[in-house]
Structures are given as C-alpha cells and as structure tokens.
Amino acid sequence: MRRKDREITDICAILELVSECKVCRLAMTDDGVPYIVPLNYGYEYADGALTFYFHSAKEGRKIRLLTQNGCAAFELDCSYQ
C-alpha cells in the first residue's frame, strides 16, 4: 500500500468495515480483458482468518475464470446511497 498512513491493520476496524458494506466487486481477467462482478456476500472471522462467501451457480463465466486462473481482486462498497 502506497499510503501507509491510511492502511487499516486493526482486525476490529476491518471487521466493522466489512460488516457495514453490502456489495463486493470481484475482479478477474478473461483472456487479458477485465471482468468485474458485483456480488452480495457473507463472511466469517475464525482462527485469525477472514473468509468471504458469495452466492454462485456451480458453473458459468465467473467459476470458469476462477478455475482457470485463481487470481482475483476485490473491493467493498460502503457508505453510499
């Protein structure tokens, strides 16, 4: 992270932020082209690990891309109307 003064490292603050957000945008690549999917999510924090859960079909573009290349990025949408 470039701006260390804005980095959130406290797990309580992270969990508060995650609980306030409603949408996660999951970004992947499809043959070099960006593919971003907005998703509602659930999560749990256990044994020092934060795990996100997404509703999904067992097949489709998102599953194919994650299976082909497990790399993905995400951002959470918060405080919007």
Side-chain angles (χ1 to χ4, degrees):
M1 180 166 193
R2 185 178 66 84
R3 298 267 323 256
K4 291 291 184 186
D5 62 313
R6 299 190 71 182
E7 182 177 13
I8 302 171
T9 57
D10 177 63
I11 190 61
C12 291
I14 292 170
L15 292 174
E16 182 178 342
L17 182 66
V18 169
S19 71
E20 291 174 2
C21 297
K22 302 293 182 221
V23 175
C24 176
R25 298 192 189 280
L26 185 63
M28 300 154 284
T29 58
D30 189 358
D31 200 25
V33 177
Y35 178 64
I36 300 173
V37 182
L39 302 163
N40 293 104
Y41 65 92
Y43 71 94
E44 72 176 347
Y45 180 71
D47 300 323
L50 180 58
T51 303
F52 287 88
Y53 296 95
F54 304 108
H55 183 283
S56 180
K58 293 183 180 186
E59 59 184 41
R61 186 175 183 186
K62 177 178 61 204
I63 298 302
R64 178 178 54 82
L65 295 176
L66 290 171
T67 302
Q68 287 175 349
N69 176 4
C71 293
F74 73 95
E75 66 90 15
L76 301 176
D77 285 354
C78 303
S79 303
Y80 59 89
Q81 297 182 4

